[in-house]
Amino acid sequence: VVGIIQYRRGAIGESGEGSGIVMSADGIVITNYHVIENASRLEVVMYDGKKYDAAVVGRDARTDLAVIRIPAKGLKYAAFGNSDQCKVGEQVIAVGNPSGLQLAGSVTQGIISALNRNIDVGNGPMNLIQTDAAINPGNSGGALVNMYGQVIGINSAKIAQQGYEGLGFSIPVNAAKPVVDSLLQYGFVQGRVKFGLSCKVIDSVTAAAENLPAGIYVGYVEPGSSAEQNGVRADDIIVAVDGVKVPDTDAFITQRDRHKPGDPVTLTIYRRSLSKQMDIRITLQEDRGTSETSGGGDW
């Protein structure tokens, strides 16, 4: 487990620190997307204190995973286990750099508190391992390890910073592996789709208070996307996809993920400026994880 220091253009000094896991002798390192997000330069600090500049191989905001590479050979690398074999109550340890490199290589112990916790990490829900092993800011991208010394999860402190104790979450390695493999081969997760929209949910309470339909509020439309070309606008509210109501994130993502790139879909939209509903046909894009959006999750 290594340290990762992030620098951003225009900032004085480092702009963030996190953790990573060496997965191969030739310098491939796995970490969280949010550890490297918006970085102009990355530095990896090894367990022996040696430092390397790192290059991004691929990143995926949807699963909060990223792969970087350092120019090194003959590294010690992690052994990976089978997260599908994990049991509630099983002992685990978290390894990482809580609060940054000042506390590098910290080890905390706990148990697996729950499996398949459906947690929204920012761009949609994921099924995560819950543990009471302490996971703090700086632990992001570090390892959750079983008693055989095998990595069974990639820790994400992004969703453990709410002032709670004994509530940490880790991305199961069996879920991470196909993402990492695709990032290594293509630089993005091949075959996934997106609408080309940045959105957030209007829940039933907000909808009733504002006299709006429950659905998915469009905060941003990606320039050049099929959605933009066919007339979807920021401030629209998507109430159905192909006739299926989408009152929440899970419903919206379920409808999206039934398709492949290039498939046509019909969005039923309520346009607030006109106070009326309309159908707009768009073509789904391949999600290469390269768009810069604002105003909610990138969908």
Side-chain angles (χ1 to χ4, degrees):
V1 175
V2 298
I4 298 175
I5 302 174
Q6 183 202 106
Y7 300 88
R8 294 185 182 180
R9 190 169 287 106
I12 298 174
E14 64 183 55
S15 53
E17 294 181 337
S19 305
I21 305 167
V22 179
M23 71 169 288
S24 68
D26 60 351
I28 298 296
V29 177
I30 306 171
T31 187
N32 286 142
Y33 170 85
H34 75 268
V35 169
I36 69 162
E37 186 178 7
N38 297 322
S40 59
R41 176 174 165 249
L42 294 169
E43 186 176 68
V44 170
V45 182
M46 308 302 290
Y47 29 79
D48 60 3
K50 191 170 183 178
K51 297 180 179 180
Y52 295 93
D53 282 337
V56 176
V57 176
R59 66 188 85 192
D60 184 50
R62 196 181 293 184
T63 55
D64 196 26
L65 290 168
V67 178
I68 61 177
R69 185 192 298 272
I70 59 174
K73 301 290 183 184
L75 298 178
K76 293 180 181 178
Y77 56 93
F80 290 84
N82 182 352
S83 57
D84 288 344
Q85 295 178 343
C86 292
K87 304 292 183 184
V88 173
E90 179 180 346
Q91 281 189 298
V92 289
I93 60 173
V95 186
N97 310 310
S99 188
L101 295 181
Q102 185 177 0
L103 301 177
S106 292
V107 176
T108 55
Q109 183 179 6
I111 62 168
I112 292 177
S113 305
L115 298 168
N116 298 316
R117 287 297 200 205
N118 194 256
I119 304 292
D120 192 333
V121 298
N123 285 311
M126 291 180 61
N127 291 321
L128 304 179
I129 298 169
Q130 181 185 330
T131 179
D132 66 348
I135 297 174
N136 295 290
N139 273 121
S140 296
L144 190 70
V145 181
N146 64 18
M147 291 298 104
Y148 298 98
Q150 300 167 329
V151 178
I152 48 92
I154 299 161
N155 298 326
S156 179
K158 181 180 181 182
I159 47 178
Q161 298 182 33
Q162 307 300 321
Y164 297 98
E165 288 188 27
L167 191 64
F169 294 94
S170 189
I171 303 164
V173 293
N174 287 25
K177 186 179 185 305
V179 174
V180 170
D181 288 347
S182 192
L183 292 177
L184 282 168
Q185 186 169 357
Y186 304 106
F188 62 95
V189 181
Q190 190 184 44
R192 274 197 330 209
V193 295
K194 66 177 181 178
F195 293 100
L197 306 170
S198 186
C199 308
K200 59 184 178 182
V201 175
I202 298 178
D203 60 32
S204 57
V205 174
T206 302
E210 300 295 331
N211 195 27
L212 296 171
I216 308 299
Y217 176 80
V218 178
Y220 175 89
V221 183
E222 189 176 315
S225 66
S226 176
E228 186 211 36
Q229 292 171 5
N230 286 286
V232 180
R233 302 176 187 172
D235 202 48
D236 285 344
I237 299 171
I238 301 169
V239 297
V241 177
D242 284 339
V244 178
K245 290 185 178 180
V246 287
D248 53 38
T249 302
D250 284 354
F252 191 53
I253 288 174
T254 296
Q255 287 303 110
R256 178 195 67 190
D257 291 347
R258 286 177 175 168
H259 297 84
K260 61 183 184 295
D263 282 356
V265 297
T266 298
L267 303 180
T268 302
I269 284 173
Y270 176 80
R271 181 152 293 165
R272 295 208 297 169
S273 61
L274 302 176
S275 298
K276 73 173 187 178
Q277 196 166 287
M278 64 186 74
D279 287 339
I280 297 179
R281 190 116 168 128
I282 70 167
T283 301
L284 292 172
Q285 303 171 242
E286 185 167 36
D287 183 2
R288 298 195 171 208
T290 55
S291 65
E292 295 292 335
T293 62
S294 60
D298 181 13
W299 293 332

